[in-house]
Amino acid sequence: MALRTWLLTLLVAAALSIANHAEAAPEGLRTIPTRHSFTELVERLEAAVERHGMAVVAAASASRGAAARGVKIAGNTVVMVFRNDYAVRMLKASIPAGIEAPLRYYVTENADGTATLSWRTPGSVFAPYGSPALDEMARELDVVFEQIGRDAGQ
């Protein structure tokens, strides 16, 4: 009986340890697995951003940087998206919120050759600032970002 209790205690401790070390998804994280390759999904995302009236401000890729050094890692890129009229509204509502722009999509390559699209909803990004005007703008952007994500991932 003592051995059974000891084993049960050990299993519970191991489970708690694993749970405490698991990565918690940030609030508002949206993730869409796709059937597209990494390169194709990046291209589809950029086209969807344009179709929905937003702009790709910049892109950053650790995998491209690594490749330039002769190191191969799974494809990943951050695509930064915004638009100037939203920037003006954002700053009018909250100067500190300016650190959040541009908003970002993240494209990651999966082991099977497909890619995943992820982003934090604008509503979750801007919520901590406690500004009703910023919250209103974020709700508008939530719809736009969801449409872009859906279009790119289809």
Side-chain angles (χ1 to χ4, degrees):
M1 188 67 152
L3 179 60
R4 184 180 295 168
T5 302
W6 180 82
L7 285 173
L8 182 58
T9 302
L10 183 63
L11 286 172
V12 169
L16 288 173
S17 176
I18 291 168
N20 287 336
H21 289 91
E23 286 187 45
E27 182 180 336
L29 182 67
R30 292 276 294 120
T31 301
I32 299 176
T34 75
R35 59 176 166 46
H36 305 296
S37 71
F38 171 75
T39 301
E40 183 181 11
L41 184 55
V42 171
E43 291 169 358
R44 291 177 61 85
L45 175 60
E46 290 172 347
V49 166
E50 187 175 321
R51 259 192 321 277
H52 289 279
M54 296 298 286
V56 172
V57 176
S61 173
S63 56
R64 279 190 232 136
R69 295 182 20 250
V71 177
K72 172 76 172 137
I73 62 172
N76 71 74
T77 194
V78 175
V79 178
M80 292 159 255
V81 174
F82 219 57
R83 199 171 74 197
N84 185 259
D85 59 315
Y86 283 115
V88 170
R89 285 175 63 192
M90 173 193 63
L91 293 170
K92 185 176 179 184
S94 170
I95 295 292
I99 190 122
E100 306 297 351
L103 297 169
R104 297 169 300 279
Y105 286 96
Y106 187 39
V107 180
T108 52
E109 183 178 31
N110 302 316
D112 67 358
T114 63
T116 298
L117 179 63
S118 303
W119 71 95
R120 285 192 58 217
T121 62
S124 67
V125 171
F126 291 122
Y129 295 92
S131 164
L134 196 56
D135 293 343
E136 180 182 330
M137 183 193 80
R139 282 190 294 275
E140 292 172 27
L141 285 169
D142 282 343
V143 173
V144 174
F145 270 64
E146 185 69 29
Q147 291 170 339
I148 291 169
R150 206 170 325 134
D151 286 357
Q154 289 181 342

